[in-house]
Amino acid sequence: MFTESDEKLKELGADITVREVQQQPELWQEAYDNYVEQREKITEFLNAITAKHDRIRVVFAGAGTSAFVGETIVPHLAEVNDQKKWEFRAVATTDIVGTPEKFLQHDIPTILVSFARSGNSPESVATVEIAEQLVDDLYQMTITCAPDGKLAQKAEKESDNLLLLQPAGSNDKGFAMTGSYSCMALTALLVFDTASEADKKHYVETIIEAGHSIIEREEDIQAVANLDFERVIYLGSGGFFGLSRETQLKILELTAGKIATQYETPIGFRHGPKSLVDEKTVVMTYVSNNAYTDLYDADLVNEVYHDEIAEKVLALTAEKRDKIDADQFVVAHGTESLPDVYLSFPYVMFGQTFAVMTAIKIGNTPDTPSPSGTVNRVVQGVIIHPLGEEA
């Protein structure tokens, strides 16, 4: 797929999406360079807030894939930061708009971090307006891929709203969010992670190398995509739960729902969702680098494998796991030392690649996957009701 000519990919309706998946390692380097360039400004912004408040809530907000950015990174940030000082939450703008008082309190100092590819989604724009109405001490960070979007334009005019523009190439032109998801996740991690700057640099170098490895091993991924399946299930613990949600959405979107999808945690999978498994199901598990969590991952993978029902049970891992009986896709040498949240970057490239390959296999066009046109790149048809309108 990655070695096909642009002309061939255009015939398949996939040239935009394939190239946007493929370019991500280069985008990650650019995102890291941007972070380094703006590090002093970021530090000053956060220090000014922490000097005023003993405890701060950080709400990562976005719609669709942009919401899953927060779900992927929050478990790690909650683990490494002092929870007496920092509270991290991932809340979809689609939840905030409908029930704002459940997530935003006037007397809790809050940093609203808006994730947005275009910055024009109605719910994302409305969430900012609602937060400004409800929260007394509100600070904002806008992480977006579109400098001309509504959120970016607004942030540029406000001193208490830190705008972190993503690499131009991350403003995906295809239907599905790929580089926008991974670049926004990486930037937010670099901002809020407590790792040393040397470690952050090493993590980025490692995921870039791993991303290139995913591209080079497309034949291994294609072999899985070529199997006879109608259902795909992704499983992951911690931040990999958010990643599972994102990668199942990719295949659901790009196949226009022709492939049924599900996501869960490995432990939660036994409690009903396992019922979806039949002989035309592929079950994939994102295996954790955490030794304790890995025990549960391996137990579930082996259980489903030995049920001998699914068409394929595959464990994605950072290194070969002797205790896993099912087939394994080891992403790249060196990733075994990564915190899970950084391992999610090569993992998501696998999921994106598999989704594009599956869409092409069933005859759908990844660049424009919705034949009815009822699902759009930027959501349409949303009516935003002003807060207090019900009165």
Side-chain angles (χ1 to χ4, degrees), residues 345-367:
F345 292 91
Y347 277 177
V348 79
M349 276 194 68
F350 178 101
Q352 294 165 348
T353 302
F354 180 71
V356 176
M357 289 175 170
T358 301
I360 292 173
K361 181 186 77 168
I362 67 170
N364 214 41
T365 53
D367 292 346

Side-chain angles (χ1 to χ4, degrees), residues 97-98 100-101 130 133-134 383-391:
V97 166
E101 290 88 353
I130 290 170
Q133 288 179 257
L134 292 182
I383 299 173
I384 300 297
H385 299 281
L387 198 60
E389 182 182 68
E390 73 284 359

Side-chain angles (χ1 to χ4, degrees), residues 60-72 90-97 114-118 121-124 127 172 175-178 180-182 184 241-250 252-253 263 375-379 382:
F60 294 115
T65 288
S66 294
F68 308 153
V69 174
E71 292 185 7
T72 304
V91 187
T93 57
T94 48
D95 290 334
I96 293 174
V97 166
S114 296
F115 292 121
R117 173 171 64 175
S118 70
S121 293
E123 302 95 337
S124 297
T127 290
D172 306 307
F175 177 88
M177 291 176 63
T178 53
S180 51
Y181 165 87
S182 60
M184 290 191 294
F241 178 74
L243 175 65
S244 295
R245 193 174 185 187
E246 165 57 15
T247 47
Q248 70 82 31
L249 177 64
K250 286 287 94 68
L252 186 70
E253 288 180 321
Y263 64 94
V375 183
N376 302 283
R377 181 176 176 275
V378 179
V379 72
V382 180

Side-chain angles (χ1 to χ4, degrees), residues 370-376 380:
S370 178
S372 66
T374 55
V375 183
N376 302 283
Q380 300 176 14

Side-chain angles (χ1 to χ4, degrees), residues 114 116-119 142-147 151-152 163-166 184:
S114 296
R117 173 171 64 175
S118 70
T142 302
I143 301 179
T144 181
C145 308
L151 291 184
L163 175 62
L164 298 178
L165 286 173
Q166 299 307 289
M184 290 191 294

Side-chain angles (χ1 to χ4, degrees), residues 7-18:
E7 290 72 19
K8 175 62 176 177
L9 291 174
K10 284 180 182 178
E11 291 177 12
L12 298 170
D15 60 302
I16 297 173
T17 308
V18 168

